[in-house]
Amino acid sequence: MLRFAPSPNGYLHIGHALSALANRQMADALDLPLTLRLEDIDRSRARPQFEAAIVDDMSWLGIGWTPPMRRQSEHMAAYQAAMDGLRARNLVYPSFSTRREIASTLRDPGVARDPDGAPLFPGDEHIIGIEETQRRRRTDAPAAWRLSMTAAASTCEDLAVTVTDAAGVPRSTLSTDPLAWGDVVLARKDTPTSYHLSVVVDDAVQSISHVVRGADLLAATAVHKVLQSLLGLPTPLYHHHRLILGADGRKLSKSNGAASLKALRENGVSAADVLQKISAFTAGPAR
Ligand code: GLU
């Protein structure tokens, strides 16, 4: 089983169409079903109109998928159960610093950063101080929950994942480096889960055998591998397709002017035009 897993936080653009097509092509090559998963845990950003547009975009492109569609927001109990297991094993800890406090303390451009460019979390005591950390703990202040990455990675015997080519044929082994991420957030103050936790739980619950997604998520595979190992979940095979870059050389986003599929459609661009443009990107090096 494969999955296309967009977040209904905005309208999809041509980069998402590429991911959907790469999934469809591998599913066809392997004769496996492709399902649609809405990664809608961020309730402040998910909107029904974006969800409806995803379904419209898929049918406009002619990219079929097998129902039912899974909405992550309907499965919070499953993520909470996984978190409870990690808490019981002391592999996660509450973290009280706010995003703003972290950003304002770790402003120095020379500070150690994770593969996404965010500062590595040094511990609350280095952000808000020991006394304030203790005060927040005593008063049960709202906390995010972070994975103790060094402890977690040390329990993981095998940090390698198998990567396939675009047709799903295993081609190589990728050794992952979870320590590069530091103590990632697994549950937020206002949401009992995070992208990393939900994605590994769902990939297992949905029996996803092949994960096809953009190269921007390649490094995150390290976190997913550790979580699969901790939670006793199987590790799928991975394929990370090339990204379509914007004129500024960065991955497509609304902020660098990527037009939504909806806007292209409304402006008379045909699905065939879009498919032709993206099909050059679906083949490519296996990563
Ligand atoms: N929801 C993620 C995104 O829209 C994709 C997650 C994944 O494929 O693992 O970028």
Side-chain angles (χ1 to χ4, degrees), residues 3 5-7 16 37 39 195 199 211-213 216-217 224:
R3 82 308 194 274
S7 295
H16 297 106
R37 177 200 300 158
E39 302 210 324
Y195 161 63
V199 86
V211 169
V212 177
R213 58 188 179 190
D216 52 330
L217 291 170
H224 303 168

Side-chain angles (χ1 to χ4, degrees), residues 32-265:
L32 290 174
L34 165 66
T35 193
L36 181 59
R37 177 200 300 158
L38 294 178
E39 302 210 324
D40 62 347
I41 54 174
D42 184 348
R43 304 310 293 151
S44 65
R45 293 172 67 209
R47 296 281 179 277
Q49 67 267 32
F50 298 141
E51 184 177 315
I54 289 171
V55 174
D56 290 348
D57 290 339
M58 294 291 276
S59 46
W60 178 62
L61 292 168
I63 299 179
W65 52 278
T66 306
M69 172 169 79
R70 181 175 172 96
R71 283 188 196 85
Q72 290 190 324
S73 58
E74 293 170 358
H75 298 278
M76 292 296 183
Y79 314 133
Q80 245 154 353
M83 273 311 291
D84 288 345
L86 296 175
R87 273 190 204 103
R89 291 158 67 192
N90 273 330
L91 287 165
V92 290
Y93 63 89
S95 166
F96 300 96
S97 308
T98 63
R99 279 188 221 207
R100 183 176 301 205
E101 286 164 340
I102 295 171
S104 63
T105 311
L106 302 176
R107 250 180 319 203
D108 180 350
V111 78
R113 287 174 190 272
D114 72 19
D116 279 350
L120 285 182
F121 183 68
D124 280 326
E125 58 282 13
H126 297 285
I127 305 286
I128 53 175
I130 294 175
E131 275 177 29
E132 181 60 12
T133 303
Q134 285 170 347
R135 190 192 68 76
R136 292 190 196 181
R137 182 168 295 128
R138 256 194 333 267
T139 56
D140 261 338
W145 287 80
R146 290 180 180 272
L147 183 64
S148 297
M149 188 59 94
T150 306
S154 71
T155 69
C156 189
E157 272 173 29
D158 177 13
L159 286 169
V161 301
T162 302
V163 295
T164 76
D165 64 14
V169 180
R171 291 290 184 201
S172 56
T173 300
L174 175 77
S175 50
T176 67
D177 178 15
L179 297 179
W181 289 96
D183 293 354
V184 291
V185 170
L186 291 190
R188 302 198 171 277
K189 285 178 184 158
D190 42 6
T191 314
T193 185
S194 61
Y195 161 63
H196 294 307
L197 184 67
S198 316
V199 86
V200 295
V201 169
D202 283 3
D203 285 343
V205 168
Q206 296 190 285
S207 304
I208 300 300
S209 52
H210 296 72
V211 169
V212 177
R213 58 188 179 190
D216 52 330
L217 291 170
L218 179 77
T221 307
V223 179
H224 303 168
K225 175 70 190 180
V226 166
L227 289 174
Q228 286 151 1
S229 165
L230 292 179
L231 298 169
L233 304 175
T235 296
L237 304 181
Y238 287 90
H239 176 71
H240 293 89
H241 60 75
R242 287 195 288 156
L243 299 179
I244 304 176
L245 302 180
D248 57 1
R250 300 171 61 145
K251 78 174 181 164
L252 289 185
S253 71
K254 272 209 211 80
S255 56
N256 62 11
S260 68
L261 298 173
K262 181 170 180 286
L264 294 175
R265 183 160 71 238

